[in-house]
Amino acid sequence: MAASSAGNPSPANVSSSLPRRFEFSSDSPPKLSLSTDQHKYCSRALQFFKEKLQTPDRITQEFAHLQTTRTTPSQMARSCKVALDNVNVSKNRYMDVLPFDQNRVVLNPCKDYRASAQGYINASLITTSSSENISRFIATQGPLPHTFEDFWEMIIQHHCPVIVMLTRLVDNYKIVKCGDYFQSEDGPRDFGNISLVSKWVRTTDTSLVLRNLEVGYKESEELPMSVLHIQYPEWPDHGVPKDTVAVREILKRVFQVPPNLGPVVVHCSAGIGRTGTYCTIHNTIQRILVGDMSALDIANTVATFRSQRVGMVQTMDQYFFCYKAIIDELEDLISGCNS
């Protein structure tokens, strides 16, 4: 099945041509078995990244250069007109993190029937390749209470099989980082015409919280969609985890889902720092596995992501963490193959 091209796929086409249910397991994901070519690609990439990590100044300079080419407020004003329309301003968690008009997710239908709303949600379609073997992402903010219905409408319309949540609901300083749009262990939750049910919840040894959710329209004859919700609450805002193990477990779990099922939704609070970091790690490993050695240019990957959502990968620590997680995952893939 061909992957959808970049841009907004037709919700009607997405829902009718793809299966609505995917069987998710809470078991540990199996080790990926590499082909001879994949082993060669991973070995070459690992050598490249290890050598690069020996000269951290080069990596520091890369990120510094990325920071000098950031989108300016005036560019934002020109490129995010729908997000800045008066009817949509209250739907943004942060006024300096807005989706660009050219690749924003468009809801059709949208609970906000006003024409000027234009199906708005603070979410961006992110892609680096038209290959059906490379995941597309939707990078979005942590939903606000009055955008919960919009969020689930997006999941259904774009047939998103996985949600990766890289934040707590409330951080250690008691600041709300994300609304509770998913917890439904006590029975179904309704968001307008959308119903959400939790089938099971598991916590892994790495502190990931896995939820198998079912979401669908209340008055529809179609079976509800199965969605895997992966929450990593221990990833600190603006920071990085103490090791790469949990992030790489997310990667392994998401890799079990065929990329052509639909975009992977990734969010933290603003949907740029931790979100951009995860997307960079995921995308780089995936492209290496298919032999796309342009993936070795992480700075270019981040620049591409930033051209689709402002500020992806926010801090120097997060940028270095990309390199460390990619190296650790390549070592793991190669050792699994060798053993």
Side-chain angles (χ1 to χ4, degrees):
M1 185 182 298
S4 297
S5 60
N8 292 321
S10 160
N13 291 342
V14 170
S15 61
S16 63
S17 62
L18 290 170
R20 294 179 65 80
R21 303 184 70 77
F22 186 85
E23 293 303 316
F24 298 110
S25 170
S26 61
D27 297 339
S28 294
K31 284 257 186 188
L32 198 62
S33 179
L34 299 183
S35 67
T36 303
D37 281 343
Q38 287 176 324
H39 189 278
K40 180 179 68 179
Y41 301 146
C42 289
S43 299
R44 178 180 156 195
L46 178 60
Q47 181 181 357
F48 174 85
F49 286 129
K50 276 188 158 179
E51 288 175 1
K52 192 147 185 191
L53 209 57
Q54 303 276 321
T55 54
D57 285 351
R58 284 176 61 199
I59 299 174
T60 301
Q61 288 167 5
E62 274 179 11
F63 188 73
H65 179 69
L66 282 166
Q67 295 296 82
T68 64
T69 55
R70 284 180 295 184
T71 304
T72 64
S74 61
Q75 289 171 327
M76 286 282 287
R78 290 194 298 272
S79 304
C80 308
K81 289 180 179 175
V82 179
L84 289 167
D85 192 286
N86 287 338
V87 301
N88 292 326
V89 165
S90 67
K91 301 172 190 174
N92 301 307
R93 183 173 286 278
Y94 304 102
M95 285 309 299
D96 58 347
V97 181
L98 307 171
F100 300 128
D101 294 332
Q102 66 179 9
N103 66 305
R104 69 184 180 91
V105 172
V106 180
L107 300 181
N108 179 30
C110 177
K111 70 168 187 176
D112 190 338
Y113 57 87
R114 292 171 292 182
S116 55
Q118 297 186 58
Y120 179 73
I121 183 172
N122 189 313
S124 309
L125 285 155
I126 307 290
T127 183
T128 58
S129 170
S130 60
S131 168
E132 65 177 19
N133 297 313
I134 304 299
S135 299
R136 290 168 297 132
F137 302 105
I138 289 176
T140 186
Q141 66 183 13
L144 295 157
H146 58 283
T147 67
F148 290 171
E149 185 179 347
D150 293 335
F151 180 87
W152 287 113
E153 188 73 62
M154 175 178 75
I155 298 298
I156 295 171
Q157 285 184 24
H158 289 267
H159 204 280
C160 306
V162 181
I163 300 166
V164 178
M165 176 180 179
L166 303 171
T167 183
R168 299 172 184 262
L169 294 175
V170 180
D171 72 7
N172 295 329
Y173 300 101
K174 308 303 179 192
I175 298 171
V176 175
K177 292 294 179 178
C178 178
D180 170 13
Y181 66 91
F182 57 91
Q183 291 179 334
S184 57
E185 283 86 298
D186 296 331
R189 283 182 71 185
D190 291 344
F191 305 96
N193 189 39
I194 295 171
S195 182
L196 178 72
V197 178
S198 178
K199 303 307 286 185
W200 51 256
V201 183
R202 307 280 188 275
T203 302
T204 71
D205 294 339
T206 56
S207 299
L208 299 180
V209 184
L210 311 177
R211 293 177 173 86
N212 187 190
L213 306 174
E214 288 192 344
V215 60
Y217 298 119
K218 287 189 285 188
E219 296 157 15
S220 172
E221 294 181 2
E222 291 191 27
L223 287 172
M225 267 180 57
S226 289
V227 179
L228 177 62
H229 187 277
I230 306 175
Q231 184 185 10
Y232 183 19
E234 303 305 314
W235 191 333
D237 193 10
H238 291 98
V240 295
K242 63 182 185 299
D243 59 46
T244 68
V245 176
V247 170
R248 293 188 297 109
E249 185 185 337
I250 298 172
L251 198 72
K252 290 175 170 68
R253 290 185 180 278
V254 180
F255 277 4
Q256 302 298 303
V257 183
N260 64 354
L261 269 189
V264 175
V265 172
V266 188
H267 79 82
C268 41
S269 187
I272 57 172
R274 290 166 284 186
T275 294
T277 304
Y278 175 79
C279 290
T280 300
I281 297 163
H282 178 127
N283 177 266
T284 300
I285 294 292
Q286 223 171 26
R287 285 162 60 205
I288 289 168
L289 287 170
V290 300
D292 177 5
M293 289 296 119
S294 69
L296 303 188
D297 189 346
I298 291 180
N300 186 60
T301 299
V302 173
T304 300
F305 285 165
R306 286 185 173 190
S307 74
Q308 298 172 66
R309 188 166 174 90
V310 65
M312 294 280 272
V313 185
Q314 264 182 304
T315 68
M316 182 78 75
D317 283 347
Q318 289 173 347
Y319 192 68
F320 267 95
F321 186 80
C322 290
Y323 276 93
K324 290 170 184 169
I326 291 162
I327 287 171
D328 288 351
E329 183 60 17
L330 289 171
E331 286 182 332
D332 196 37
L333 285 167
I334 291 168
S335 68
C337 189
N338 290 342
S339 63

